[in-house]
Amino acid sequence: LAKTTQPISMDSYEGQEVNITCSHNNIATNDYITWYQQFPSQGPRFIIQGYKTKVTNEVASLFIPADRKSSTLSLPRVSLSDTAVYYCLVGDAANQGGKLIFGQGTELSVKP
Amino acid sequence: GAVVSQHPSRVICKSGTSVKIECRSLDFQATTMFWYRQFPKQSLMLMATSNEGSKATYEQGVEKDKFLINHASLTLSTLTVTSAHPEDSSFYICSLRGQGHTGELFFGEGSRLTVL
């Protein structure tokens, strides 16, 4: 299973763009990269997923370089409600029985 | 997307008692579910993989006799913390992987266990 490394914490202010980078040097060919958000005392929830290049949805963008050894989650114009822990996970999307291991995550604090 | 329901959301028990946590898949049949444990200010730690109709697969260091997992149907997996002690107090979260090529994880709301 590919191990992931992220910064432990980040601070930002409302309205700024936040970029969180995750390293996954031993990512496998079949692995997808997925980011989750977790608020205190809640289960994590899906933000975005990608395999290569760039993916964008209504809440975030995900940038993946050609070598796929890292990925960057971009949150445009953050608000106070984006204060949470963000996790990147790497795993084979087609293997529904395959376990996914969480890294330490990045605690994002958005200030007014 | 899949909806996962977990119950109870909070439970307080005395040391030595057993506690059962239920995890239900509301949208589709799940042959595999995952149980995680999370201590304060820490990441989620995978405890075991629950397999419908067969024995669960436990991660290294997780006592299978302590944390009993039953996956008797395609929509229900249960985790029983047997003879709970204060050190078992934690946030327990179940999840399953969605169908289709994305394989994203869907999580329950979590269950906060406090052992007195």
Side-chain angles (χ1 to χ4, degrees), chain B:
Chain B
V3 177
V4 183
S5 177
Q6 208 172 322
H7 178 81
S9 58
R10 291 179 180 272
V11 57
I12 301 174
C13 70
K14 293 182 178 180
S15 184
T17 60
S18 294
V19 175
K20 180 185 286 187
I21 300 170
E22 294 186 346
C23 179
R24 294 183 183 275
S25 171
L26 302 181
D27 279 2
F28 66 84
Q29 297 177 331
T31 56
T32 303
M33 292 187 183
F34 304 94
W35 286 95
Y36 292 86
R37 178 169 58 180
Q38 186 175 34
F39 293 108
K41 296 293 185 180
Q42 293 187 24
S43 181
L44 284 75
M45 184 194 78
L46 180 65
M47 299 175 67
T49 301
S50 170
N51 304 300
E52 188 270 335
S54 64
K55 292 182 178 180
T57 304
Y58 290 83
E59 295 300 302
Q60 189 174 8
V62 178
E63 300 175 59
K64 62 180 180 180
D65 295 329
K66 173 75 171 177
F67 300 99
L68 300 179
I69 292 174
N70 183 282
H71 195 153
S73 77
L74 291 171
T75 58
L76 175 64
S77 176
T78 61
L79 168 68
T80 301
V81 183
T82 62
S83 186
H85 288 90
E87 58 265 30
D88 298 322
S89 298
S90 187
F91 192 54
Y92 293 88
I93 312 170
C94 69
S95 71
L96 54 83
R97 297 190 71 171
Q99 295 178 324
H101 72 279
T102 60
E104 66 191 78
L105 282 171
F106 293 92
F107 291 87
E109 307 93 329
S111 299
R112 174 77 60 192
L113 171 63
T114 301
V115 184
L116 302 178

Side-chain angles (χ1 to χ4, degrees), chain A residues 2 11 17 21 28 36 41-42 47 49 51-52 54 57 63 65 71 77 79-80 82 97 100 103-106:
Chain A
D11 292 330
E17 177 184 80
T21 298
Y36 295 87
S41 295
Q42 294 185 26
I47 300 175
Q49 183 184 72
Y51 184 80
K52 62 180 179 180
K54 177 183 175 182
N57 62 21
F63 299 91
S71 58
R77 298 179 300 281
S79 64
L80 296 176
D82 293 316
L100 291 176
Q104 61 185 9
T106 298

